[in-house]
Amino acid sequence: MPYIDADYYINEFEGVEIDETEIDRYIKRASDVIDQVTGYKIKDFDSLPTFVQDQVKKATAAQVEFFALEGGPEVATSNDDVQSATIGSFSYTKGQAGGSVGGGQTNKVSSSVIDYLKPTGLLYTGVGVVQNAYY
């Protein structure tokens, strides 16, 4: 389920310009990334607190913008990026552009996505604790 629409991305988030024939596809892919990063915790978006909904929307828009700046979802999520190369005395090393989230893919997720989602609790992957009233 897409967490934002083109209107939100353009008018609320004010992201970089994207060809209108591509924006819906970018939004769907970005929403998929949000689901992956959160471990598919978002079951009923409308039941989430307003703050969490707003953060998820911002994170999705940030991921859409990241895709636009990286050349599209296909380029940003490819695993075959060259990290370093040397030819004679020339050497090139690619920087760590995106946040490294699972799988070691550095270009899959915008670091802004992680920053938007941190205060929501959606990134928590630990085990819940149940306190018993036994003394």
Side-chain angles (χ1 to χ4, degrees):
M1 167 194 138
Y3 296 117
I4 62 171
D5 56 17
D7 182 61
Y8 178 88
Y9 177 78
I10 295 165
N11 296 314
E12 293 293 319
F13 188 76
E14 298 179 357
V16 297
E17 190 173 327
I18 299 174
D19 185 328
E20 62 185 62
T21 62
E22 295 288 326
I23 195 165
D24 288 334
R25 187 171 69 89
Y26 282 29
I27 289 171
K28 287 177 187 176
R29 297 299 178 277
S31 297
D32 288 345
V33 169
I34 300 305
D35 284 337
Q36 292 167 4
V37 168
T38 61
Y40 300 92
K41 288 184 183 89
I42 303 171
K43 304 290 184 221
D44 182 10
F45 181 77
D46 295 329
S47 70
L48 295 173
T50 304
F51 172 75
V52 176
Q53 287 182 20
D54 290 342
Q55 293 303 102
V56 169
K57 288 179 180 180
K58 289 176 186 177
T60 305
Q63 186 66 30
V64 169
E65 185 170 59
F66 178 75
F67 284 158
L69 294 172
E70 289 290 314
E74 302 78 16
V75 174
T77 60
S78 71
N79 283 328
D80 57 357
D81 288 339
V82 174
Q83 295 298 316
S84 65
T86 303
I87 300 173
S89 63
F90 174 78
S91 179
Y92 171 79
T93 302
K94 185 174 184 177
Q96 302 294 319
S100 181
V101 176
Q105 291 180 323
T106 57
N107 288 343
K108 185 175 182 179
V109 180
S110 167
S111 59
S112 294
V113 168
I114 304 304
D115 292 339
Y116 283 127
L117 294 177
K118 273 182 186 176
T120 67
L122 292 171
L123 300 178
Y124 180 72
T125 59
V127 177
V129 176
V130 177
Q131 284 188 326
N132 293 325
Y134 303 112
Y135 294 98

